[in-house]
Amino acid sequence: CIAGGKVPQVSDFGHCPTPQSFVRCGPHHRAELSEVLDTDDISALHDIWWRYRDDLTWPWYEKKPRFSDEDFDTFRAIAQQVVDAMVDEYRVPMVLDQATISNTSHIGHPPHADNVQFDSVWWRGRQIRSRDELVAARGGAEVLWKEVKSSYRNYAASVALTDPWQYGGGDLEFYNDWGETEPSKKYRLPQGSGVACCGCERSIHAVTPVKWGFRLVLLVWTRSPKAHVPQDQKHVCYFRPGTGQSVWLTTAELESFESRGRQATGAH
């Protein structure tokens, strides 16, 4: 490791002259978090979702609603339970960076890695044309990944807040390599259980579109205690078309409540 918890990745310079991006995760295995939340936790998050939910495609609020002290404490404490379980599994220091209660939409999430982004494909020092990237990658070419704004993070977790019988679709899928057409693993988790993974390209994942019913999940992202959070990322509510109606606990809110010494903020 170097400053800020950055970890250099192995680069194949025989194919690509550009080194792979730094990451802040490792070990890189997936971790199943069995019954990490109980029924009281799940009920509390459902209540918070109903009170504060918003859809950033068609925002209901002019600005993000402020949590009451009680709701903030509840949301943070439950998210911290998940972080504690992740620390027990990975045996590396991490702190809560952001959490979201997400009602996955009919769009779902295409394959992606959380903290790096696909850049290009290379073979023996030459960049492959975009139309040939998939074939080349499947044939052993080097896939180059680049840093994104969330690259200061290290791990993430998805914890089910509804049972699989309550919705169709909504499978959590993992892929071994970029460009694969079939996932190596699918999850349909019972409520209260989840899956944790690292944020680099070793954990390419997707969520299939929800076809019917109601899928609610708690998403948690962590970072190393040494990692610097860019100022312009502290207030960001990470949203994709498949996120649906959601509630966000941002880095800025976590820092603000800490710095105020638990002063009341009032209900929204």
Side-chain angles (χ1 to χ4, degrees):
C1 294
I2 61 173
K6 287 185 177 181
V7 180
Q9 297 201 84
V10 175
S11 301
D12 186 348
F13 293 109
H15 285 313
C16 179
T18 305
Q20 294 285 358
S21 62
F22 285 97
V23 297
R24 288 181 168 84
C25 51
H28 300 284
H29 65 279
R30 287 192 303 274
E32 296 187 20
L33 309 176
S34 178
E35 298 180 346
V36 68
L37 300 182
D38 62 25
T39 54
D40 289 340
D41 298 326
I42 294 165
S43 178
L45 292 180
H46 275 256
D47 289 344
I48 290 173
W49 180 82
W50 277 106
R51 281 196 285 277
Y52 299 95
R53 69 191 188 280
D54 198 3
D55 182 345
L56 298 188
T57 303
W58 298 97
W60 299 349
Y61 305 104
E62 292 184 2
K63 62 179 181 179
K64 187 179 184 299
R66 300 174 70 179
F67 294 110
S68 69
D69 273 1
E70 181 180 359
D71 286 338
F72 172 84
D73 287 339
T74 298
F75 195 173
R76 184 178 65 167
I78 294 173
Q80 186 61 48
Q81 288 176 217
V82 178
V83 174
D84 292 343
M86 295 164 70
V87 171
D88 288 342
E89 173 65 34
Y90 290 106
R91 301 296 178 182
V92 296
M94 61 181 83
V95 297
L96 176 62
D97 184 69
Q98 187 174 124
T100 303
I101 307 170
S102 170
N103 172 214
T104 318
S105 78
H106 67 284
I107 298 175
H109 299 281
H112 66 282
D114 282 349
N115 302 333
V116 292
Q117 182 176 331
F118 170 80
D119 182 271
S120 52
V121 178
W122 294 75
W123 180 258
R124 296 181 178 177
R126 301 184 65 179
Q127 184 174 347
I128 302 298
R129 294 177 297 183
S130 59
R131 67 185 185 186
D132 298 324
E133 286 174 339
L134 283 174
V135 173
R138 293 166 184 164
E142 176 81 346
V143 177
L144 179 64
W145 298 84
K146 62 183 179 181
E147 292 189 5
V148 293
K149 291 182 178 180
S150 62
S151 291
Y152 62 89
R153 293 176 175 169
N154 51 13
Y155 292 92
S158 175
V159 181
L161 303 178
T162 46
D163 278 316
W165 61 264
Q166 294 178 270
Y167 58 89
D171 296 342
L172 175 59
E173 301 179 334
F174 284 87
Y175 297 80
N176 288 331
D177 296 296
W178 181 83
E180 285 187 338
T181 57
E182 294 296 327
S184 59
K185 180 70 175 179
K186 291 185 178 183
Y187 291 94
R188 290 184 63 82
L189 298 161
Q191 64 175 7
S193 294
V195 177
C197 63
C198 65
C200 72
E201 70 276 9
R202 293 175 179 84
S203 289
I204 299 172
H205 58 283
V207 178
T208 61
V210 174
K211 299 177 181 178
W212 56 265
F214 180 70
R215 182 184 192 265
L216 196 68
V217 293
L218 171 64
L219 305 175
V220 171
W221 292 273
T222 66
R223 68 179 189 273
S224 164
K226 299 178 181 179
H228 169 71
V229 183
Q231 192 64 36
D232 64 356
Q233 293 301 296
K234 293 183 178 182
H235 293 270
V236 172
C237 296
Y238 281 91
F239 179 83
R240 298 294 182 270
T243 304
Q245 297 177 13
S246 300
V247 180
W248 291 267
L249 181 60
T250 66
T251 309
E253 286 173 314
L254 291 165
E255 291 183 351
S256 176
F257 273 77
E258 293 282 352
S259 64
R260 291 181 190 180
R262 310 304 303 121
Q263 294 180 3
T265 60
H268 74 287

